[in-house]
């Protein structure tokens, strides 16, 4: 036999030498939930091991761990008090809003960490939708919502966010935000657009975590149809034309073909977001002893990177970084 593929699998040193996919903690983004209040670390029941933090020392402890693990970036989601929510998501662009407080605190204490802020309305509206709702028809109104997304993004960058991540899946949101930021001379603020966001049941635990489930209907009129992949390329290209610097695709695990296709078609960095439902599935199976958590999260991270993701957004960022830093991934 002239060709023996098994020679390249002979031992761990040879496997390491010939690995096609290599991972590094700098490619990781850790999503963090910040809720109003003081001195709070509250476990999210559908996501054991993930917490809601108040914007004070409690958040700083979590950030310190992230920085020590050499993770480059965090993604902030805000959870305002229930009674502050309204039709127009006012707590989202309040300069003393929960995310704005968290950004200022994080930037002051960890200037080297990239702070990414999610730009959306659903956590801040009383109806739980990502845009304004037409009272008569119940339709999510696109164009009138853009102005609100602009305000949210500006307030986050004013507070010190390096990167804004619009996730409302409204048409024209990237262009609107880019223009608004440029008008305020925020030329260097990056836009990390959730260009390809499917209408997915994998977001279930997130909606429990952030209290952002829609009070009526679903998100299928703005988030993408899971049956489509060419449309994902269109969404990505459109956002890049509108000024997106990097794009996000989500969920990750069930959409590896989409990651691969989009990565081949665009020249900007592509991030895959392994969403809450992916985390909770693994956690639940691991807690029952049905899966080996460490091995499963490693394999999933490798698969996502192999499909073409340059950046991984994951609730397992700390665990993955640990494995990478100790030479185990
Ligand atoms: C806000 C937003 C959602 C997620 C990220 N940004 C929820 C949704 O669209 O319902 C989901 C992330 C996750 O499930 O981990 N629009």
């Amino acid at each position: 036999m002239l060709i023996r593929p098994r020679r390249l699998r002979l031992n761990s040193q040879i496997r390491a030498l010939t690995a096609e996919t290599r991972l590094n903690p700098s490619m990781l983004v850790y999503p963090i939930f910040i809720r109003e209040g003081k001195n709070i670390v509250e476990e999210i029941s559908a996501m054991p091991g993930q917490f809601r933090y108040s914007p004070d020392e409690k958040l700083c402890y979590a950030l310190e761990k992230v920085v020590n693990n050499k993770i480059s970036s965090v993604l902030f989601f805000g959870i305002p008090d229930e009674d502050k929510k309204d039709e127009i998501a006012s707590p989202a662009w309040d300069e003393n809003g929960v995310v704005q407080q968290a950004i200022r605190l994080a930037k002051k204490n960890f200037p080297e960490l990239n702070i990414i802020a999610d730009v959306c309305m659903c956590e801040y509206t009383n109806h739980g939708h990502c845009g304004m709702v037409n009272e008569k028809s119940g339709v999510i109104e696109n164009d009138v919502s853009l102005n609100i997304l602009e305000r949210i993004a500006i307030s986050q960058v004013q507070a010190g966010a390096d990167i804004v991540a619009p996730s409302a899946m409204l048409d024209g949101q990237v262009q609107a935000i880019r223009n608004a930021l440029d008008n305020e001379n925020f030329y260097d603020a990056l836009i990390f657009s959730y260009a390809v966001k499917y209408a997915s049941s994998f977001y279930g635990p997130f909606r429990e975590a952030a209290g952002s489930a829609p009070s009526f209907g679903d998100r299928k009129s703005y988030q993408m149809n899971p049956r489509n992949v060419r449309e994902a390329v269109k969404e990505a290209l459109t956002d890049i034309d509108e000024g997106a610097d990097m794009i996000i695709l989500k969920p990750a695990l069930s959409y590896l073909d989409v990651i691969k296709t989009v990565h081949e078609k665009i020249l900007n960095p592509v991030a895959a977001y392994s969403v809450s439902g992916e985390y909770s599935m693994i956690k639940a199976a691991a807690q029952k002893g049905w899966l080996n958590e460490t091995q499963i999260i490693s394999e999933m991270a490798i698969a996502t990177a192999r499909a073409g993701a340059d950046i991984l957004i994951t609730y397992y960022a700390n665990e993955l970084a640990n494995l990478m830093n100790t030479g185990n991934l």
Side-chain angles (χ1 to χ4, degrees), residues 77 118 120 122-123 130 167 194 197 202-203 206-207 219 223 250 273 275-276 315:
F77 292 99
D118 182 79
C120 196
C122 64
E123 299 115 77
C130 305
S167 70
Y194 290 78
K197 180 171 177 181
F202 284 101
Y203 309 147
F206 175 98
R207 291 177 190 172
R219 303 209 202 287
Q223 299 182 349
K250 74 187 213 189
Y273 191 157
V275 298
S276 55
Y315 300 97

Side-chain angles (χ1 to χ4, degrees), residues 33-40 52-60 96-103 105:
F33 297 94
I34 298 136
R35 57 153 287 172
E36 280 189 77
K38 282 208 167 64
N39 227 12
I40 297 171
R52 302 182 193 94
Y53 301 95
S54 48
D56 49 32
E57 312 79 63
K58 299 296 181 191
L59 174 63
C60 287
N96 280 317
V98 63
V99 156
Q100 287 78 0
Q101 288 178 41
I103 294 168
L105 183 71

Side-chain angles (χ1 to χ4, degrees), residues 102-323:
I103 294 168
R104 279 194 292 270
L105 183 71
K107 228 36 230 176
K108 185 165 152 239
N109 290 286
F110 305 95
E112 71 281 24
L113 192 61
N114 291 322
I115 308 295
I116 310 170
D118 182 79
V119 179
C120 196
M121 290 173 62
C122 64
E123 299 115 77
Y124 305 91
T125 50
N126 46 18
H127 47 69
H129 276 290
C130 305
M132 303 258 276
V133 176
N134 182 308
E135 268 179 41
K136 283 203 193 101
S137 62
V139 165
I140 314 306
E141 300 262 29
N142 198 87
D143 299 13
V144 289
S145 307
L146 297 180
N147 180 258
I148 296 188
L149 298 181
E150 291 168 21
R151 291 188 199 193
I152 300 174
I154 288 174
S155 76
Q156 293 169 341
V157 173
Q158 260 162 359
D162 304 285
I163 303 174
V164 290
S167 70
M169 282 302 277
L170 298 178
D171 294 339
Q173 61 179 6
V174 173
Q175 184 172 1
I177 290 171
R178 184 72 270 162
N179 287 338
L181 291 174
D182 287 358
N183 279 339
E184 300 285 325
N185 291 336
F186 290 133
Y187 302 109
D188 290 336
L190 283 81
I191 299 184
F192 198 4
S193 166
Y194 290 78
V196 182
K197 180 171 177 181
Y198 285 91
S200 170
S201 298
F202 284 101
Y203 309 147
F206 175 98
R207 291 177 190 172
E208 190 255 356
S212 64
S215 60
F216 67 91
D218 54 40
R219 303 209 202 287
K220 289 181 183 163
S221 74
Y222 43 107
Q223 299 182 349
M224 278 183 57
N225 184 344
R227 296 170 194 269
N228 297 351
V229 61
R230 293 167 62 231
E231 191 184 15
V233 176
K234 185 177 78 179
E235 285 282 2
L237 291 173
T238 306
D239 278 19
I240 290 163
D241 281 347
E242 289 184 26
D245 299 286
M246 328 186 262
I247 65 138
I248 304 175
L249 248 138
K250 74 187 213 189
L253 183 60
S254 304
Y255 295 82
L256 297 180
D257 58 322
V258 184
I259 298 173
K260 187 169 169 65
T261 308
V262 169
H263 187 260
E264 281 168 358
K265 290 278 173 23
I266 70 170
L267 299 175
N268 298 52
V270 173
Y273 191 157
S274 181
V275 298
S276 55
E278 301 179 43
Y279 176 89
S280 301
M281 284 194 310
I282 301 167
K283 205 44 139 187
Q287 285 183 342
K288 282 188 170 282
W290 290 347
L291 286 178
N292 179 319
E293 188 175 28
T294 301
Q295 289 170 4
I296 292 284
I297 64 172
S298 302
E299 196 172 324
M300 273 174 61
I302 290 167
T304 313
R306 192 190 61 228
D310 307 296
I311 299 166
L312 307 179
I313 307 175
T314 165
Y315 300 97
Y316 275 116
N318 279 309
E319 291 78 359
L320 289 168
N322 247 321
L323 290 166

